[in-house]
Amino acid sequence: MDGINQILEALSGWLWGWPMIILLLGTHIYLTIILRFPQRKIFTAIRLSVKRDPNASGDVSQFRSLATALAATIGTGNIIGVATAVALGGPGAVLWCWLTGVFGISTKYAEGLLAIKYRTKTASGKMLGGPMYALERGLGWKWLAVLFAIFTACASFGIGNTVQANAIATLTFETYGISPYITGTFVCLMTGAVVLGGVKSIARVCGMLVPFMAFFYVIGCIIILCLNADYLWPALKLIVVSAFSPQAAGGGFIGTTVMMAARFGIARGLFSNESGLGSAPIVAAAAQTRNPVRQALVSSSGTFWDTVVICALTGMVIVSSVIAYPDISYENGATLTKAAFSKIPVIGTPLLTFGLLTFAFSTILGWCYYGERAVEYLKGKKWVIAYRVIYITAVLIGSVVNLAIVWNLADCMNALMAIPNLISLLCLSGVIVHETRKYLWRGQLDKEMEDTISYSSSRSQRP
């Protein structure tokens, strides 16, 4: 097992190395340019995300679709992940993480657009979509669509399930001494109560949970920033300068190179917001929306909240805390985050614990939906119930076992998900521009989408 783990660890390191970072960031920048910086429409996107479109076709509201995507996206990566980037890449990693989120808005926009453009309706009226449908119906590459679905189904049991359950069980044991078996059973039952109800149940719970958990975490960050008010400007200056200067250090930090700051900042940013991964468009396809661009804008706001806001707040909290309290240990992300939040009198540690618990649980819910749709694409609706039962059981297993191999396997599956998704985005970029011109650039966001033709697997029928 140690040998297998070492192989997976090496493969994960290679898959998430510079080639993947360049591919993802390059796609972000390319789409930003050809779509004329859709980031400037972010306030329109936020407005649309909270505006109901009840007469449009779809399974859930745009807000609940966004909340489900955010539930799967906002997780320990936004808290521990950012702190890890700072610990390994220095304060400059925060800026690179933030910039990745800014450019990633375009990629999330493109993913949401293709999700609606190529979604299909089942006999029961349910909407199905995501990169597998874009690959099959838009490009005619069924084989690549199948690979994406396989990678998604496998990833759902890793980063979306067992590792999150393990994080919850470990945290409650270390903080409150509760047995992992007790925690695992409780989380297992809670997960079952939600996911057995299908997409509407998952979306309803996420719609309530996401704003609640994000609000309390943001409040906690703001309290720390107020306590560190005298160090905010030095922290901001250190973040910007050290992102581009190999000489930048001090303030409690060891000097790091620009390449280290960029590598860890970009990698953590990409991993936390999932822009380009291909997961979010699976639930975006279920949204009630009148045309692809409206949902594309709503989807893009998810990256804004996840990285541009939450990750940025976390980064400022970490860097300002290290400057304010030089005795803080930053040997790893978890230690650094816990030390920063412990500076809030009385409620600091419980607030962090609550944030990590709710973020991890919401990720379990969101990824269950992704896995369901992947299994349904591969084997049909009759396998969904079996998948849910196995998924719920895996929550309990993940709570009580060592997950070193699962972590590395999950990282590999996530990287392998991104590759076919990015191929679909790049190859269908002409379609994305066409739809954007039709609805956004010509000011027709309220226009109803015309009935789409029945796309075959022939590439010649691409619009």
Side-chain angles (χ1 to χ4, degrees):
M1 295 299 288
D2 288 340
I4 295 175
N5 189 45
Q6 289 176 3
I7 293 173
L8 289 173
E9 187 175 3
L11 179 60
S12 173
W14 180 79
L15 287 171
W16 283 105
W18 278 110
M20 176 62 75
I21 290 174
I22 292 171
L23 177 61
L24 275 165
L25 190 58
T27 302
H28 290 352
I29 296 173
Y30 171 70
L31 291 173
T32 295
I33 294 172
I34 67 170
L35 293 173
R36 301 180 185 177
F37 292 83
Q39 293 87 341
R40 57 195 172 91
K41 296 291 185 178
I42 192 62
F43 293 109
T44 300
I46 294 172
R47 176 177 59 82
L48 290 174
S49 70
V50 296
K51 184 178 180 180
R52 293 188 63 85
D53 205 358
N55 296 324
S57 57
D59 300 329
V60 295
S61 69
Q62 289 181 307
F63 174 76
R64 286 185 173 176
S65 170
L66 174 64
T68 304
L70 282 173
T73 305
I74 298 178
T76 54
N78 299 82
I79 304 176
I80 305 299
V82 174
T84 300
V86 173
L88 297 175
V94 176
L95 180 62
W96 288 107
C97 181
W98 186 81
L99 288 173
T100 300
V102 171
F103 285 105
I105 289 173
S106 298
T107 300
K108 192 63 73 73
Y109 169 95
E111 290 177 323
L113 190 152
L114 293 181
I116 300 297
K117 180 69 178 177
Y118 294 109
R119 70 182 179 179
T120 183
K121 183 183 291 187
T122 66
S124 61
K126 184 172 60 178
M127 292 294 186
L128 301 176
M132 52 276 203
Y133 293 90
L135 286 163
E136 179 184 354
R137 305 180 72 183
L139 293 168
W141 295 344
K142 173 77 172 181
W143 64 274
L144 195 55
V146 169
L147 284 178
F148 175 85
I150 292 173
F151 296 145
T152 301
C154 292
S156 71
F157 285 101
I159 195 65
N161 182 319
T162 52
V163 296
Q164 302 296 332
N166 191 267
I168 293 173
T170 301
L171 183 64
T172 53
F173 177 74
E174 292 180 351
T175 307
Y176 304 108
I178 300 175
S179 169
Y181 289 93
I182 296 176
T183 302
T185 301
F186 178 75
V187 177
C188 181
L189 293 174
M190 291 289 291
T191 302
V194 178
V195 304
L196 289 176
V199 61
K200 292 185 178 181
S201 175
I202 293 173
R204 183 172 59 253
V205 173
C206 290
M208 295 184 293
L209 185 61
V210 168
F212 181 70
M213 70 184 191
F215 172 78
F216 278 98
Y217 179 72
V218 169
I219 290 297
C221 288
I222 292 174
I223 292 174
I224 296 176
L225 293 178
C226 289
L227 293 173
N228 298 345
D230 293 338
Y231 303 94
L232 295 185
W233 176 249
L236 182 60
K237 183 179 178 180
L238 183 61
I239 288 171
V240 175
V241 173
S242 60
F244 303 102
S245 172
Q247 305 301 322
F253 291 97
I254 298 174
T256 55
T257 66
V258 173
M259 293 295 287
M260 289 176 62
R263 177 187 174 187
F264 289 108
I266 293 172
R268 285 295 94 191
L270 293 171
F271 198 73
S272 68
N273 62 49
E274 295 185 8
S275 293
L277 191 63
S279 53
I282 296 175
V283 70
Q288 296 169 342
T289 186
R290 64 185 70 183
N291 62 61
V293 171
R294 287 175 73 94
Q295 181 54 37
L297 288 169
V298 172
S299 294
S300 71
S301 68
T303 299
F304 171 79
W305 293 120
D306 176 86
T307 305
V308 179
V309 175
I310 293 182
C311 284
L313 280 173
T314 302
M316 282 295 295
V317 163
I318 298 301
V319 176
S320 64
S321 294
V322 173
I323 297 175
Y325 311 102
D327 59 318
I328 285 181
S329 171
Y330 58 97
E331 58 185 11
N332 61 65
T335 302
L336 185 53
T337 306
K338 188 174 182 179
F341 271 82
S342 68
K343 300 302 178 182
I344 304 178
V346 183
I347 65 170
T349 300
L351 185 63
L352 176 62
T353 302
F354 173 79
L356 288 171
L357 291 176
T358 52
F359 284 6
F361 180 65
S362 69
T363 300
I364 293 174
L365 299 181
W367 269 92
C368 180
Y369 181 76
Y370 298 158
E372 279 187 20
R373 297 288 73 81
V375 169
E376 185 168 355
Y377 178 83
L378 292 169
K379 303 295 291 184
K381 185 179 178 180
K382 62 182 180 180
W383 284 85
V384 170
I385 296 298
Y387 169 83
R388 290 176 184 170
V389 173
I390 297 172
Y391 190 88
I392 294 167
T393 305
V395 172
L396 178 59
I397 296 173
S399 300
V400 298
V401 300
N402 189 307
L403 294 178
I405 291 180
V406 178
W407 263 110
N408 289 319
L409 181 62
D411 284 346
C412 293
M413 291 299 103
N414 283 339
L416 292 173
M417 281 177 62
I419 294 172
N421 178 58
L422 293 172
I423 290 173
S424 71
L425 292 173
L426 295 172
C427 292
L428 293 171
S429 59
V431 175
I432 298 168
V433 171
H434 172 78
E435 295 295 311
T436 302
R437 180 186 299 114
K438 180 179 179 179
Y439 294 105
L440 183 61
W441 297 347
R442 294 176 181 172
Q444 300 188 83
L445 274 178
D446 293 330
K447 183 178 179 181
E448 293 285 345
M449 179 172 56
E450 299 172 2
D451 291 337
T452 57
I453 63 173
S454 179
Y455 296 100
S456 73
S457 60
S458 172
R459 201 185 316 173
S460 63
Q461 292 196 12
R462 267 192 299 165

